[in-house]
Amino acid sequence: MRIGSVPRHLLIAGLAATMAAIALPRGAAQTPERGRSVAITLDDGPVVNELKDLANFQRIAGRLREALVAEKVPATIFINERQLNVQGQRDGRAEVLAQWLDAGYDLGNHTYSHPSLNKIPLWQFEDDLIRGEVVMRSLLEERGRKLVWFRYPFLDSGPDAQVHQAFVDFLEQRHYRVAHITVDYKDYSFAGVYLRLLRAGNTEVAEKVKQAYLDQVDRGFEHAEKASAEVFGYELPQILLIHCNELNSVTLRESIDRMRQRGYRFVTLEEATKDPAYLRPDTFAGDGGSWLERSARAMGKQITAPQPRMPKWITDLPRAGR
Ligand SMILES: [Zn+2]
């Protein structure tokens, strides 16, 4: 077709129709008008690995919250209440949870001390979960809200089908819903290197790691978009897993901008999980992992889209210099 021979408005209408046909896969529940959406979740809250310095704990949590508020983006923060249990700092640390709630955010249970269900007995894991909801539950209830979400530490959902099912039943009795994930670009690997560089005073390389991390946001979403199409035949509402760390506290607004540029709008976990892709029963499917990987295994499908890798120059950085 010669572009010059077709009236412009017809051409645009034709292009739009073609793109709609491409975007709408066989049997898709998602219409092109709905477009891409993502629910942001932050794990290991309020702040991972800051069990000493209250001011630093408050600073990092505050920055994460301010970034989301400024971008007007919903999020669910998964808490390990062990982090609140620091002598002389308990009130100051619990206050951070109240601040999240009062800013309109949701909190979920990520157990008290972050054990793996694949490595400790079920009863011990269940005790840890219950211990992990004490402060959060009362703060939520004071505000007329309910504790709904649970996330598996390490995404480990049990060593075998029997333990998995027993735990799923336990969650149901306690009215929890499992928050699955679909986008995971291993932010913690970048965050660890970034923090070591900052502490070593190597701000120049730290800045480069930060930029590489922002590029990884795109790689991570690319992977999830392709993998969702492979497993479900369309792009489901994604659920992003990142962590409450220093690196995200300084990059979250830019990360959100990357997502916006990919066409994402931001939704709550509640809204994302209305998609039929999340209604498949949560059967045991091996070593945990993302909902895309778990679903692929359960459905006997293969994900061929390659996982994003950490740039080699970062993994090659000398350990001491990091
Ligand atoms: Zn975690």
Side-chain angles (χ1 to χ4, degrees):
M1 180 171 66
R2 217 159 44 79
I3 287 181
S5 67
V6 181
R8 193 175 157 75
H9 70 279
L10 286 183
L11 180 72
I12 289 167
L15 263 178
T18 310
M19 286 171 73
I22 291 166
L24 185 63
R26 287 165 287 127
Q30 189 162 347
T31 60
E33 299 83 61
R34 273 173 60 194
R36 289 175 167 170
S37 62
V38 59
I40 295 183
T41 67
L42 287 134
D43 278 17
D44 302 4
V47 177
V48 67
N49 290 336
E50 185 46 273
L51 289 169
K52 286 184 185 150
D53 186 341
L54 176 62
N56 200 39
F57 180 89
Q58 290 166 327
R59 179 184 65 83
I60 295 171
R63 275 192 176 186
L64 289 168
R65 194 178 60 249
E66 284 155 19
L68 290 162
V69 169
E71 296 292 338
K72 299 187 175 64
V73 161
T76 306
I77 325 304
F78 286 88
I79 303 296
N80 302 120
E81 288 201 6
R82 179 184 59 180
Q83 293 182 34
L84 310 179
N85 199 4
V86 176
Q87 207 179 0
Q89 301 182 4
R90 289 190 184 92
D91 290 347
R93 285 172 178 259
E95 179 59 24
V96 168
L97 296 193
Q99 287 164 348
W100 275 118
L101 292 175
D102 293 339
Y105 291 89
D106 203 5
L107 300 178
N109 189 345
H110 195 37
T111 73
Y112 178 77
S113 67
H114 208 280
S116 161
L117 176 56
N118 294 12
K119 292 187 178 144
I120 65 170
L122 177 62
W123 65 267
Q124 205 177 334
F125 189 84
E126 290 175 350
D127 278 1
D128 201 87
L129 177 145
I130 292 168
R131 198 178 173 199
E133 66 183 27
V134 177
V135 178
M136 217 175 342
R137 192 182 280 286
S138 76
L139 287 173
L140 277 157
E141 284 173 0
E142 276 169 24
R143 289 162 178 77
R145 293 165 62 180
K146 284 197 170 116
L147 179 55
V148 175
W149 297 104
F150 169 76
R151 163 129 335 120
Y152 291 102
F154 311 101
L155 306 176
D156 284 349
S157 63
D160 56 44
Q162 202 184 352
V163 171
H164 176 76
Q165 190 55 50
F167 186 67
V168 167
D169 295 343
F170 167 86
L171 287 176
E172 206 174 291
Q173 283 159 20
R174 297 191 69 84
H175 309 290
Y176 276 107
R177 293 181 63 191
V178 172
H180 300 295
I181 72 110
T182 61
V183 189
D184 175 7
Y185 35 82
K186 310 281 185 271
D187 66 315
Y188 49 86
S189 302
F190 289 83
V193 177
Y194 179 74
L195 199 58
R196 281 194 291 274
L197 286 164
L198 277 191
R199 285 182 178 157
N202 196 345
T203 47
E204 198 182 314
V205 183
E207 187 59 31
K208 285 184 186 158
V209 169
K210 191 176 119 182
Q211 291 308 321
Y213 173 58
L214 286 167
D215 291 339
Q216 197 78 348
V217 173
D218 277 309
R219 302 292 87 76
F221 273 91
E222 256 165 42
H223 172 75
E225 288 152 9
K226 286 180 182 154
S228 6
E230 286 186 303
V231 180
F232 291 103
Y234 63 99
E235 284 184 31
L236 63 167
Q238 306 289 354
I239 302 175
L240 171 66
L241 163 63
I242 53 174
H243 295 78
C244 295
N245 55 40
E246 175 86 42
L247 179 59
N248 285 319
S249 81
V250 296
T251 52
L252 192 50
R253 293 195 69 176
E254 287 170 87
S255 300
I256 288 170
D257 189 51
R258 298 275 179 135
M259 297 170 216
R260 282 211 169 97
Q261 286 178 27
R262 301 188 75 78
Y264 283 91
R265 66 188 177 88
F266 298 88
V267 296
T268 59
L269 266 179
E270 177 75 39
E271 192 177 340
T273 52
K274 283 179 185 154
D275 189 275
Y278 294 105
L279 303 180
R280 191 183 67 70
D282 181 10
T283 49
F284 179 71
D287 282 342
S290 80
W291 186 241
L292 298 171
E293 291 158 353
R294 297 166 60 88
S295 300
R297 284 196 294 267
M299 294 155 83
K301 293 188 178 182
Q302 284 280 324
I303 295 175
T304 61
Q307 283 279 2
R309 288 187 185 281
M310 204 163 175
K312 191 168 179 301
W313 72 265
I314 298 181
T315 49
D316 283 352
L317 284 174
R319 190 84 192 166
R322 283 185 189 179

